[in-house]
Amino acid sequence: MDFPAKTFRVTRADLVQYAGASGDFNPIHWSDRVATTVGLPGVIAHGMFTMALVGRAVTEWAGAPDAVVEYGVRFTRPVVVPDDDQGTEIEVTARVREVTEDGLTRLDVTATCLGEKVLSQARATIRTAR
């Protein structure tokens, strides 16, 4: 079974807000000059911000925050955020890998940006309704 795709738009304004909330003001998240100097294609989203957006999708699929039992990812590709009003989009999908006898559903989660996977080994376990 597949869950319906969730799409999240990410703009530079989102990165500024996340930096303020997280305290992560690394200039690779706001300065094209610094980002390209260190070899990045441009300003990138915070990895933990990307993970949080994917976690939001999992929470919505689960129906409640406390229904998410486990969640983990590995970062594989940066989410490049252009300096315009459109930003970029992250699309999140999930497929049921297993339903256990004790009412847990294990998901394989996929997050892509511009058709490229940005996370690997993204998995979640949610408590299903009885």
Side-chain angles (χ1 to χ4, degrees):
M1 174 181 133
D2 292 341
F3 285 83
K6 304 268 184 193
T7 302
F8 300 96
R9 179 160 303 283
V10 179
T11 66
R12 294 275 178 102
D14 295 320
L15 301 186
V16 170
Q17 291 173 342
Y18 184 81
S22 68
D24 181 353
F25 294 99
N26 187 323
I28 64 172
H29 303 302
W30 54 268
S31 169
D32 282 304
R33 179 181 50 79
V34 172
T36 56
T37 298
V38 300
L40 294 167
V43 164
I44 63 170
H46 303 74
M48 296 305 288
F49 180 58
T50 301
M51 186 177 178
L53 292 175
V54 175
R56 181 186 301 171
V58 171
T59 300
E60 289 175 9
W61 292 322
D66 63 348
V68 179
V69 176
E70 187 174 45
Y71 169 57
V73 306
R74 290 201 180 204
F75 304 104
T76 55
R77 179 169 272 118
V79 173
V80 179
V81 182
D83 188 11
D84 61 21
D85 293 335
Q86 298 305 308
T88 194
E89 289 183 339
I90 298 172
E91 183 179 79
V92 186
T93 59
R95 174 167 286 194
V96 172
R97 180 169 33 111
E98 174 187 19
V99 177
T100 67
E101 290 181 19
D102 57 348
L104 298 178
T105 301
R106 294 196 170 99
L107 307 177
D108 289 327
V109 182
T110 302
T112 59
C113 181
L114 302 174
E116 303 257 357
K117 279 188 174 185
V118 296
L119 302 175
S120 68
Q121 298 179 23
R123 296 189 180 103
T125 302
I126 60 175
R127 193 173 294 108
T128 52
R130 293 181 181 233

